[in-house]
Amino acid sequence: MHKVLLFILILTSVQCTSGQSNTSGLKLLSTDELKEDFLVFRNALWKTHPALDRYIEKKRVNQLFDSCLLSLSEPRTVTDFYVQIKFLISALQDGHLRSRASDEFNSYITNQALLFPIEVRFLENKAYAICSSSDVIKAGNEILTINGQKIDLIRKRLFNYISSDGAITSYKYRDLSVKFSFYYFMHYGERENFNITYKDELGNIQSTLVDAETMTAMNCKNEYNPPQKLLDFSFRDDNIGILTIKSFDYYSIRNKNENYTDFLEGAFKKLKDSGSEKLIIDLRGNGGGRDTYGSLLYSYLTDQDFSYYKSLHNSSRQLTTADHSNLRLQHPQPNNFQGKVYILTDGYSFSTTAEFCAVTRSNDRATFIGEETGGGYYGNNSGGSVSTTLPHSNITVYVPTIKYVLDVKPNTHHNRGIIPDHHLTPTINDIL
């Protein structure tokens, strides 16, 4: 009953097409073209996706598809149609189900679109300026309203375009912080300027008008600076081990000339030789990667045989131990650690990372600190994805192919991630 009520609330709170873009320069699609693209999209999901009803009953999924199809009653730009696709993907509550707009749309966003010119970071239900080309709004100022709408209302509306597992919002907060200007453009369309009320550094409420900017003209850009090392192990002065794993992705690790298996073997040997009784594992920002890297890490935290996956299946059959080694009984490593373990997580702790955390939590093997993981406790839909490009809008949809079910103990929330024992989010001062 909870799933049904949750879905009805989603369906009734936001219309299937809620974008208000005025991007007249982009391609206009006829109703026939829109419907053909939508049917290709729907058929691709039903054919390939292993569990569209993982969090939502199949009847409700069909109702959502039918509602969106019926709404295609007049021509729309590729932007407006992409808004609808993004909304629908988000409503299906699968963080591995993704989409990419057409090259035309992406070129428009990059070079022509008028965007909100302030880099924003969301912390809980508040938003703070991180960087602004305006001389008025300073880094650290809290943004209260944009064009007369409260920032929390804007956040709730934009969340409807961000895909995430189940009812998890920690990933959405992170993603919205990185792509706020893009999501704001999707929902509210282009604006020449923005009337902003904010709280200054002295706590006074102020208002100002700032001009929109193109992405290429912005002084503030979310530039990702990759870490020098994806795998790191060190000791604090008090002999507490710190194991930092930025990614479980095989190719990313290889490109750094690092070796995951050798790294773990060396790190846990050092840990054993040191006599350390405490270990911190930092998995913040780790979006996942190779499945077996999660089970291998847990094999260093136990002295008992353990089960990792309960089942895997695609759209046509159940997978066996011949298909995936994580379906077999797993064994501990010789240099396994028996001391206290603390795991740091955030909203970007996703996929393989969340799987490892779920098994660790299920076996009461660690204390979790930070934010709820971005991936679900019971598993996810992932594996290799199949891409389908819609013929008229040229939107590409990436559909996961395997339903992963973890062998974990029952949890109170069927649609949540690993909720930390000690919930901690950074403050705006930490970020600055």
Side-chain angles (χ1 to χ4, degrees):
M1 179 61 71
H2 175 71
K3 290 192 294 184
V4 175
L5 291 175
L6 175 64
F7 183 79
I8 290 174
L9 286 173
I10 292 173
L11 189 58
T12 56
S13 62
V14 182
Q15 293 182 354
C16 194
T17 53
S18 51
Q20 301 173 15
S21 66
N22 300 309
T23 51
S24 57
L26 291 176
K27 181 180 178 181
L28 192 67
L29 301 176
S30 69
T31 54
D32 288 341
E33 289 173 327
L34 292 167
K35 289 178 180 179
E36 182 179 350
D37 272 20
F38 189 84
L39 291 175
V40 171
F41 165 73
R42 185 181 68 179
N43 292 339
L45 263 63
W46 279 124
K47 178 182 178 181
T48 304
H49 199 285
L52 281 176
D53 58 347
R54 183 165 200 148
Y55 294 108
I56 302 170
E57 291 182 354
K58 187 171 292 187
K59 179 177 68 173
R60 299 295 177 181
V61 175
N62 278 319
Q63 288 176 347
L64 181 57
F65 278 127
D66 292 342
S67 171
C68 289
L69 181 59
L70 286 172
S71 72
L72 301 174
S73 57
E74 57 185 21
R76 293 182 186 168
T77 66
V78 292
T79 304
D80 291 329
F81 186 59
Y82 187 52
V83 168
Q84 175 165 328
I85 295 296
K86 289 284 286 182
F87 165 79
L88 184 51
I89 287 176
S90 175
L92 292 172
Q93 300 181 25
D94 182 351
H96 284 85
L97 178 59
R98 304 291 174 90
S99 63
R100 182 183 184 277
S102 67
D103 290 341
E104 178 193 18
F105 177 90
N106 288 325
S107 176
Y108 186 87
I109 285 287
T110 303
N111 301 304
Q112 294 177 252
L114 296 175
L115 304 173
F116 187 76
I118 301 173
E119 183 181 330
V120 175
R121 178 64 185 263
F122 281 82
L123 298 173
E124 302 299 342
N125 298 330
K126 296 182 179 180
Y128 299 87
I130 298 298
C131 179
S132 171
S133 57
S134 169
D135 294 330
V136 179
I137 298 180
K138 303 292 193 300
N141 289 171
E142 181 185 349
I143 297 176
L144 303 175
T145 68
I146 302 175
N147 292 336
Q149 289 196 348
K150 292 183 178 180
I151 196 68
D152 197 43
L153 174 61
I154 294 172
R155 175 193 64 79
K156 290 175 182 177
R157 288 178 172 173
L158 300 189
F159 267 15
N160 287 300
Y161 305 111
I162 304 175
S163 59
S164 182
D165 286 353
I168 298 170
T169 60
S170 57
Y171 178 87
K172 295 192 177 194
Y173 274 107
R174 293 282 178 160
D175 198 50
L176 184 59
S177 295
V178 175
K179 304 173 186 175
F180 178 76
S181 294
F182 168 73
Y183 286 119
Y184 192 94
F185 165 85
M186 282 186 57
H187 185 82
Y188 294 100
E190 290 190 271
R191 307 293 172 96
E192 292 185 356
N193 48 55
F194 302 91
N195 193 334
I196 302 172
T197 61
Y198 63 97
K199 188 181 294 185
D200 66 19
E201 53 271 24
L202 298 177
N204 300 315
I205 296 178
Q206 309 280 359
S207 64
T208 188
L209 192 69
V210 298
D211 292 332
E213 295 180 3
T214 62
M215 186 178 295
T216 53
M218 286 185 190
N219 293 326
C220 299
K221 295 181 175 67
N222 266 303
E223 295 182 356
Y224 173 65
N225 295 314
Q228 293 296 314
K229 297 172 65 177
L230 296 177
L231 311 173
D232 188 59
F233 180 73
S234 61
F235 287 99
R236 297 195 336 179
D237 292 340
D238 51 8
N239 203 34
I240 294 176
I242 302 177
L243 186 72
T244 302
I245 303 176
K246 295 292 185 182
S247 176
F248 287 120
D249 181 66
Y250 168 79
Y251 296 101
S252 298
I253 293 172
R254 186 185 68 175
N255 290 339
K256 290 282 189 179
N257 294 317
E258 298 177 89
N259 184 295
Y260 181 76
T261 304
D262 292 347
F263 165 75
L264 286 189
E265 183 177 354
F268 280 92
K269 185 179 187 307
K270 291 176 183 176
L271 198 61
K272 185 174 184 179
D273 292 344
S274 72
S276 176
E277 297 181 352
K278 293 181 181 179
L279 172 64
I280 297 170
I281 303 178
D282 189 350
L283 298 176
R284 291 172 297 175
N286 188 331
R290 180 166 282 190
D291 301 337
T292 53
Y293 283 3
S295 56
L296 180 60
L297 179 56
Y298 186 74
S299 70
Y300 278 99
L301 301 182
T302 181
D303 59 358
Q304 304 290 323
D305 291 344
F306 63 97
S307 176
Y308 199 76
Y309 289 154
K310 180 181 290 185
S311 67
L312 302 175
H313 73 76
N314 57 28
S315 59
S316 60
R317 70 180 183 91
Q318 191 92 359
L319 274 62
T320 69
T321 55
D323 298 303
H324 203 303
S325 62
N326 274 0
L327 286 168
R328 304 170 191 159
L329 185 66
Q330 307 294 306
H331 307 293
Q333 294 294 320
N335 284 329
N336 60 79
F337 178 71
Q338 291 302 301
K340 292 184 178 181
V341 180
Y342 304 86
I343 297 178
L344 310 182
T345 60
D346 63 14
Y348 277 157
S349 302
F350 186 63
S351 197
T352 299
T353 307
E355 291 179 354
F356 161 76
C357 290
V359 172
T360 307
R361 162 56 61 81
S362 177
N363 289 294
D364 297 320
R365 187 61 191 90
T367 298
F368 287 85
I369 303 168
E371 300 172 348
E372 180 179 357
T373 59
Y377 173 77
Y378 285 104
N380 57 68
N381 307 312
S382 56
S385 63
V386 173
S387 64
T388 299
T389 300
L390 309 186
H392 302 293
S393 62
N394 291 315
I395 295 168
T396 302
V397 181
Y398 302 90
V399 184
T401 57
I402 299 174
K403 179 181 180 181
Y404 288 69
V405 179
L406 294 163
D407 195 353
V408 291
K409 297 171 185 174
N411 188 283
T412 304
H413 307 286
H414 81 281
N415 59 354
R416 298 287 297 274
I418 293 80
I419 298 172
D421 301 287
H422 303 282
H423 179 77
L424 292 173
T425 56
T427 67
I428 186 58
N429 289 331
D430 294 331
I431 298 212
L432 294 178

